[in-house]
Amino acid sequence: VTEDSAARYEEYLENVVTLLDSGLLPPGTKIVVLEGRNGQAMGVKAGLAQVETKYVLVHQHDLEFTFDFALDRVLDVIEDDDNDVKYVGMPLLTNLHYESIAWQHHGVRVRSRAFGSIELIPIVFWYDSTHITSVSHYMSLVFGPEETYSAGNFVEETFGVRQRNRIMQDGMDIHGKYGTYHCISLACDGTRRPLICHLNGVRFLTPQQREERGYP
């Protein structure tokens, strides 16, 4: 880490603290600063230690929601012990039609299923991108005693790959252990649409800047 990047990081932290002190962030927002180099996986684990609710939504700084995904109904499905849903992720444009990905790349066939009024599709990979699950599922499975992580690791590049490889080897009969699904959202014409998208850092506008330009 160069002196310049370290200084810019400190400035970034100061800006985040200023934003928190301004009251513009949601109530209950906390800033967790870790010592040294940790990486995404250990950062998520540290964040989970601060969660006071049963369920958690993990969301990245460079992603934004594009449409409503009926949070209350998603939580109802995860809460229901009569199904095997333990993780509901939000699809990006790149994995919108997961049936093709699962079959063409991993040799696994999956089909979407209706859970009440929402439709979910099984996925064989724990994506780091925006998802909802329980804190206990994270701690017992992803960060369970059989899983180890090193500084710089991402969950999807370690645990996610191990999950995918095991399902490719043993089949979808073991998918219930992971309970990973994507939430399907349909446009007015019946086609699927992504629920999240990547922000363009160069063209990003704050809500105030959007309002000043007359954007929705």
Side-chain angles (χ1 to χ4, degrees):
V1 179
T2 65
E3 291 185 3
D4 177 64
S5 60
R8 286 188 286 110
Y9 179 66
E10 290 299 327
E11 182 181 2
Y12 162 77
L13 290 179
E14 291 175 1
N15 290 337
V16 174
V17 170
T18 299
L19 186 61
L20 179 63
D21 293 340
S22 72
L24 294 175
L25 297 179
T29 299
K30 298 179 182 178
I31 300 172
V32 181
V33 181
L34 305 180
E35 294 294 330
R37 178 172 180 262
N38 290 268
Q40 186 267 353
M42 302 310 295
V44 169
K45 186 176 183 180
L48 290 173
Q50 304 294 321
V51 177
E52 299 175 357
T53 55
K54 181 176 180 179
Y55 299 105
V56 61
L57 184 148
V58 177
H59 185 66
Q60 291 67 40
H61 68 285
D62 61 345
L63 294 174
E64 68 174 344
F65 292 99
T66 53
F67 299 98
D68 178 28
F69 61 92
L71 174 60
D72 56 342
R73 282 174 278 170
V74 168
L75 290 175
D76 286 342
V77 172
I78 298 178
E79 180 78 17
D80 188 356
D81 292 332
D82 290 334
N83 65 59
D84 66 351
V85 181
K86 301 180 180 71
Y87 161 119
V88 175
M90 308 299 143
L92 287 154
L93 185 62
T94 54
N95 52 26
L96 195 57
H97 298 281
Y98 194 78
E99 297 95 332
S100 297
I101 295 174
W103 176 242
Q104 294 174 10
H105 295 281
H106 313 311
V108 177
R109 291 197 181 278
V110 296
R111 296 177 60 183
S112 63
R113 296 167 52 192
F115 293 86
S117 60
I118 64 173
E119 186 177 2
L120 305 177
I121 185 166
I123 57 177
V124 302
F125 188 71
W126 188 288
Y127 284 100
D128 287 331
S129 57
T130 307
H131 57 274
I132 302 168
T133 185
S134 68
V135 175
S136 62
H137 192 48
Y138 245 119
M139 298 309 297
S140 64
L141 184 67
V142 179
F143 296 117
E146 298 179 0
E147 304 296 334
T148 59
Y149 299 89
S150 302
N153 282 167
F154 287 76
V155 171
E156 69 178 18
E157 293 177 354
T158 50
F159 176 85
V161 172
R162 291 191 287 271
Q163 172 191 348
R164 184 180 64 202
N165 289 345
R166 187 175 175 198
I167 292 176
M168 289 173 64
Q169 174 183 310
D170 298 334
M172 286 296 288
D173 287 344
I174 65 167
H175 178 264
K177 170 183 177 180
Y178 306 95
T180 44
Y181 287 78
H182 263 171
C183 184
I184 295 177
S185 178
L186 302 179
C188 294
D189 61 1
T191 59
R192 292 186 189 179
R193 59 188 183 185
L195 284 170
I196 52 173
C197 67
H198 280 101
L199 290 169
N200 185 311
V202 176
R203 295 181 297 188
F204 175 74
L205 298 175
T206 65
Q208 181 179 353
Q209 291 170 328
R210 296 180 67 88
E211 183 179 358
E212 290 172 351
R213 289 164 173 78
Y215 297 162

